[in-house]
Amino acid sequence: MWTNWSGGQRSAPHATVRPLDEAGVRAAVRRAAASGRRVRPFGAGHSFSPLAVTDDVALDLSALTGVVGVAGRRVRVRAGTTLAELNAVLADRDLALGTLADVDTPTVAGAIATGTHGSSPKVGSLSAQVTALRMVDGHGQAAEVPAAELDAARTALGALGVITEVELTVVPARRLRVSQARVPLAEALAGGYLDGHDWAEFSVFPYAEEALARWADAVSPDPASDAQPEPDGARSASLRNLVESRLVRAAAVGGGVALGRSVPRLVPAINRVATALTSTGAVTDLPHRVLVARPVVRWEECEWAVPRERLADAVGELLAAITERELDVAFPVDVRVGPAETGWLHPAHQRATGWIAVHTAVGADPEPLRLAAEVLGGHQGRPHWGKRHRWTASQLAEAYPRYAEFLTVRDRRDPNRVFTNPHLDALLGH
Ligand SMILES: Cc1cc2nc3c(=O)[nH]c(=O)nc-3n(C[C@H](O)[C@H](O)[C@H](O)COP(=O)(O)OP(=O)(O)OC[C@H]3O[C@@H](n4cnc5c(N)ncnc54)[C@H](O)[C@@H]3O)c2cc1C
């Protein structure tokens, strides 16, 4: 039995194949195609949507790992390498990824396939850092993706083939000073905050009036020059609080989530307390040490990409709708930003984007996710492919100007639809 990270997606594949190299990937695809079976590659299974679910052949990429080479500002890496492994190799060479997700457990190929992003007004998602890809197509042939198809392949939902290697642009490693503070929601939403730093996000618990803002800026390479006092006192406590409090704000919130589920009417009070208890402070270190979270509970999640100029209205409307319906949302709504992207199916395609994520406890009423789809979809929102949504082909055709071209590339690379499942059929057609 295969399950994703949240446990919300399960499947019993006919077979699970774990190739040790690209030849193994080719053989697995050819065997499956010859017997009329479908193939779904999977990485760390961190997607909340059923992209990787299959009752045919599940292709486990966890043995296809490691850095192939580093040349200047480019790194070439095998598809199943986790972001944590890549961060460590890059740090040893004084290099870093230009953007980081909340967690480093996903694989490089899984992250780019779904458009996984961080929160910077200037630096795009991991897909945007892709400079070359090697892929096994539906005939079982391995080749570099031609430049003309790279914008289709960089965020391809695993529908164009099995990625075996990825080349990414990297940047010189820079220490970041990460700060966290409670601020009025209006202040967090003002353009100057989210757009004014190298990295910035905020979280807001429904029913709480304040937002928990976190922002980061590069500091000088000389560690002595940024040895400033930590507002919260001991550096170690500040570091622990800041790093552990990402997304799910410390174990107290996890407890609040459980309590909120059993006594839903306590949720507004829990949320206010969780906001008030969250520490303020600052810490300086390498990005992969201070921007990556270690979640203490699991959840379900949807995330919507709205045009940047609609972000403030969309967040306000969503919070008002949750309050009006008295929904039990004991997780913070997370708000991030990103620049326009070139990937044909990337949710930030051709428009600067505000990202809004809504979480619910595993097994809880999914109504908050449905409401988010309604409210944020109404603001021209496009769903994050790795998170919960119910979009189908007609919505993609309307929202993505290069959708038809993507389908043409799909027809060429996988004419017999080896790389599909019912979820992808709904998104891309048969
Ligand atoms: C706790 C948590 C935190 C998260 N934080 C963020 C965040 O900060 N920002 C963000 O944008 N997202 C975030 N996500 C979503 C997550 O980054 C994406 O869902 C990502 O796809 C997960 O990578 P994975 O390796 O688990 O891929 P999987 O979920 O295993 O697969 C995702 C897709 O990639 C395809 N795929 C995998 N490997 C290959 C391959 N070799 N070739 C072709 N296709 C392939 C699969 O078929 C599937 O379609 C988070 C998820 C969790 C659970």
Side-chain angles (χ1 to χ4, degrees), residues 40-41 43-47 102-103 106-107 110 114 116-117 157 163 336 384:
R40 291 312 295 145
H46 273 42
S47 296
D102 278 338
V103 288
T107 63
T114 53
T116 293
H117 63 95
L157 320 182
I163 299 165
R336 294 183 273 179
H384 186 308

Side-chain angles (χ1 to χ4, degrees), residues 5-82:
W5 178 85
S6 70
Q9 306 293 348
R10 291 164 187 272
S11 60
H14 167 78
T16 300
V17 182
R18 187 170 179 265
L20 300 178
D21 52 21
E22 187 180 89
V25 174
R26 285 171 35 222
V29 171
R30 284 182 186 170
R31 253 193 330 267
S35 57
R37 298 241 171 232
R38 310 284 178 226
V39 174
R40 291 312 295 145
F42 68 93
H46 273 42
S47 296
F48 297 89
S49 60
L51 276 175
V53 165
T54 185
D55 53 14
D56 269 353
V57 178
L59 203 62
D60 174 355
L61 274 303
S62 62
L64 223 66
T65 60
V67 169
V68 179
V70 182
R73 299 277 170 85
R74 299 274 166 92
V75 61
R76 195 169 178 97
V77 63
R78 292 189 190 87
T81 309
T82 64

Side-chain angles (χ1 to χ4, degrees), residues 4 25 71 90 100 117 190 193 195 213 288 308 365 397 409 415 417 426:
N4 70 339
V25 174
L90 292 175
L100 291 175
H117 63 95
Y193 166 62
D195 299 325
H288 69 284
R308 177 65 187 85
D365 180 0
V409 174
R417 303 291 185 259

Side-chain angles (χ1 to χ4, degrees), residues 10 22 74 229 277 313 328 331 338 351 356 380 388 416:
R10 291 164 187 272
E22 187 180 89
R74 299 274 166 92
L277 284 180
D313 285 349
D328 311 322
F331 281 86
R351 64 188 201 196
I356 305 168
Q380 297 173 17
R388 291 276 182 144
N416 301 319

Side-chain angles (χ1 to χ4, degrees), residues 146-163:
E149 293 181 2
L150 197 55
D151 279 335
R154 66 173 75 244
T155 310
L157 320 182
L160 297 186
V162 184
I163 299 165

Side-chain angles (χ1 to χ4, degrees), residues 286-326:
L286 291 172
H288 69 284
R289 299 207 189 109
V290 285
L291 293 183
V292 169
R294 301 270 171 260
V296 293
V297 293
R298 300 202 175 199
W299 59 83
E300 293 294 348
E301 179 173 344
C302 70
E303 186 172 30
W304 291 81
V306 301
R308 177 65 187 85
E309 65 277 10
R310 282 179 171 253
L311 181 66
D313 285 349
V315 170
E317 213 176 290
L318 176 66
L319 292 172
I322 291 173
T323 304
E324 190 183 313
R325 288 167 214 215
E326 299 182 0

